Amino acid sequence: MKTKIGCLTAMLLLSGCAKDPQTTSTISGSGTSRGGWLKTPPQAPVNRTGTPVAYNDYIRQAASSYGVDETLIKAIIQVESGFNPNVVSTSNAVGLMQLKPSTAGRDAYRMKGRSGQPSSRELKDPAVNIDLGTAYINILQSQQLAGINNPQTLQYATIVSYVNGAGAMLRTFASDKRVAVNRINQMSPDEFYQHIQKKHPAPQAPRYLWKVTTAYQAMSQ
């Protein structure tokens, strides 16, 4: 019972982490920063462990298609939008996973062999948003963060890169990507986590890492 109460408490605390539709928010593999969260996001249905159950089929399918941790997708959605598919930021980051059409949306389209970029209307469709958002996570893990060996460290790196770009994260270790990845691989996951908390220049990155990690842990109970 204590575990269930603790999990529910964590989810309630994190319900204040989703982005404010009136707050600037972007996603970009080139390192464009994002910031701001909804103060009172809608309450998503939860199961007895406190895990949101909305859109489970879409999440499960995307996780399987792109080889991405299902719980990580859920944790990012919780922090990004509070499971509200209609959230749009002032910088036009849209939907559950707060994808900006011209950056993450375009990258995900390219990965899927499509030209152009998704429309805001498409990104408000939960199935499309989750599919493209998960494709973008795959791009981060398989391309921009390739070479990071420890699975836990890779997860932390993915979370930070999702909010602020892989380039910005890697540059906190070295200007050369290969050197940066080598230094990361010499660290434990906890050392990497502490490095981000102390060294990342974007103030939202350490907060975001903590929030998504906390959501992930609550959903894994």
Side-chain angles (χ1 to χ4, degrees), residues 48-152:
R48 62 185 181 84
T49 67
T51 302
V53 297
Y55 317 122
N56 269 352
D57 289 343
Y58 300 144
I59 293 169
R60 190 175 300 112
Q61 181 177 346
S64 176
S65 295
Y66 299 108
V68 173
D69 184 344
E70 187 174 326
T71 305
L72 177 60
I73 300 169
K74 292 180 180 180
I76 287 174
I77 293 173
Q78 173 64 38
V79 173
E80 289 288 348
S81 66
F83 282 80
N84 179 354
N86 297 311
V87 174
V88 180
S89 77
T90 54
S91 66
N92 199 35
V94 183
L96 291 171
M97 300 186 75
Q98 284 290 278
L99 301 176
K100 191 172 182 181
S102 61
T103 53
R106 186 181 294 274
D107 289 346
Y109 253 32
R110 187 180 300 114
M111 175 188 179
K112 294 169 70 67
R114 302 179 64 179
S115 60
Q117 64 187 50
S119 66
S120 292
R121 181 175 180 179
E122 284 181 287
L123 290 176
K124 288 182 181 179
D125 181 327
V128 173
N129 192 286
I130 290 170
D131 179 76
L132 294 179
T134 306
Y136 182 68
I137 293 173
N138 176 277
I139 291 169
L140 290 174
Q141 293 184 332
S142 65
Q143 298 178 28
Q144 298 180 25
L145 302 175
I148 296 177
N149 296 326
N150 186 284
Q152 183 64 67

Side-chain angles (χ1 to χ4, degrees), residues 152-215:
Q152 183 64 67
T153 302
L154 178 59
Q155 179 171 301
Y156 289 154
T158 300
I159 293 168
V160 176
S161 299
Y162 191 91
V163 72
N164 204 249
M169 184 278 294
L170 291 168
R171 284 191 294 273
T172 68
F173 295 93
S175 57
D176 183 274
K177 178 180 177 180
R178 288 175 296 178
V179 175
V181 169
N182 183 55
R183 289 177 179 173
I184 290 170
N185 284 332
Q186 294 175 18
M187 293 181 169
S188 68
D190 184 63
E191 288 171 334
F192 175 89
Y193 185 99
Q194 293 303 323
H195 174 93
I196 295 300
Q197 295 300 316
K198 297 174 182 177
K199 301 293 186 179
H200 202 291
Q204 71 269 33
R207 293 198 304 268
Y208 189 83
L209 176 59
W210 177 84
K211 289 171 181 176
V212 176
T213 299
T214 303

